[in-house]
Amino acid sequence: MAYYLTLFYPPSRTGKRIGFYFTAAQVSASVVGLVSAGFQEMDGLGGLVGFQWMFLLYGLVGILVGISLLWWLPDRPLAPGETRNRAGWRKWIPQSRPALQGEDAQIHYEDLTRVYRRQAWTLKDLWHVVIDWRVWPLMVMYFGVVGVGIGVQNYGTVIIQGINPNLSGVDLSLLFAPIWVMDLIAILLVTPISDRFHHHRALFFSVPVLLQIAGLLITTYAGSESNPWPRYGGLLIVGFGLGPTVPITMTWTNEIFQPRHGEVGVAAAAALVSGLGNLGSILTTYALYTGWPADSVPGPTQYRKSNLVMVGILCLSILSAVSMTVLLRVVGNGSRAKQISSRSSTMDGDGVIVDGAARRDLQERGLGRLWFRR
């Protein structure tokens, strides 16, 4: 989806859009927490347990939505006057409605010309993306925040139950949902501003990560035996900090690799960052919390070591973001004043400003016209 959005928007303006896309995960996580409470009341209905009803209905909705996307999701835009090739096997693929028509299509073509210049790429071009050092700091950034996100998603109810062992399954589900509501709120608040100050992605990434660290420390050390609920407040802070970090990481990937490697760079780098970065979820899923027997012993220090491990990988994410910023200033990412459209990083010679969007990317919009029109 990170690559798909670059077909319609310049990379510097994809943060908000990627954020909106990721809100689906947050809404799903919060809804699951609420709806699962209802599914638990369906135990025995039709001979199925509650979780079987949940898997059945969610799977059915997923299949229907997946099929409908063949007609619903628009294909990449075409230059004015160009027609889509429907010969051979392509005629069997449902044709979706164009995203833009008429004057809107003409304006988009003039403003984002790079999208309409598809160029063939080879395995050599793909290899240049793989060996580009810029992908690795982004991957480590993703590793940390996704690891913590999956850890909270998998063990949030376990942590809450550690706060109050007497909570029922329904209570745990209801208390789990607000964590992801906070996540959703942060995405809607932070990602639009990060697009308007897109030269400072590291800052908009690092501050939410620091909030996650603060939340984990509160969850670990706050409260007392008589009043453990401040620890739950720490989980809410973690949820808020999680929200914008993944969308900003993917947006920064678009901004770095689109001018260097073109479309193949965006697609391959997004796959590498998200694919290898998801290894963080393996760590937090199988090595921490209930997967760490010595750390899951009930008591005041329960899950303390697991929380501190997650703090450690978050510090590594911040270090990677800072390192990326410093290295880009020292080594560069190609001339920021000249953006190459859909070309390999091996291309010789200077780039050119390919369209109006590339020219605007050189400047930040700031907060002007954010809430009103002048």
Side-chain angles (χ1 to χ4, degrees), residues 212-225:
Q212 293 178 55
I213 292 174
L216 285 169
L217 293 176
I218 292 172
T219 301
T220 304
Y221 294 107
S224 61
E225 291 187 8

Side-chain angles (χ1 to χ4, degrees), residues 23 57 82 108 114 135 169 193 236 242 305 316 336 345:
T23 58
L57 295 177
E82 185 180 354
H108 188 268
R114 75 190 87 165
V135 77
I193 300 177
L236 296 179
L242 277 170
K305 294 179 181 178
L316 190 61
R336 292 295 300 176
S345 61

Side-chain angles (χ1 to χ4, degrees), residues 276-305:
L276 295 178
N278 269 309
L279 293 176
S281 64
I282 298 177
L283 169 67
T284 54
T285 299
Y286 298 105
L288 303 182
Y289 298 104
T290 55
W292 191 347
D295 195 39
S296 58
V297 177
T301 62
Q302 187 180 28
Y303 306 132
R304 177 173 294 182
K305 294 179 181 178

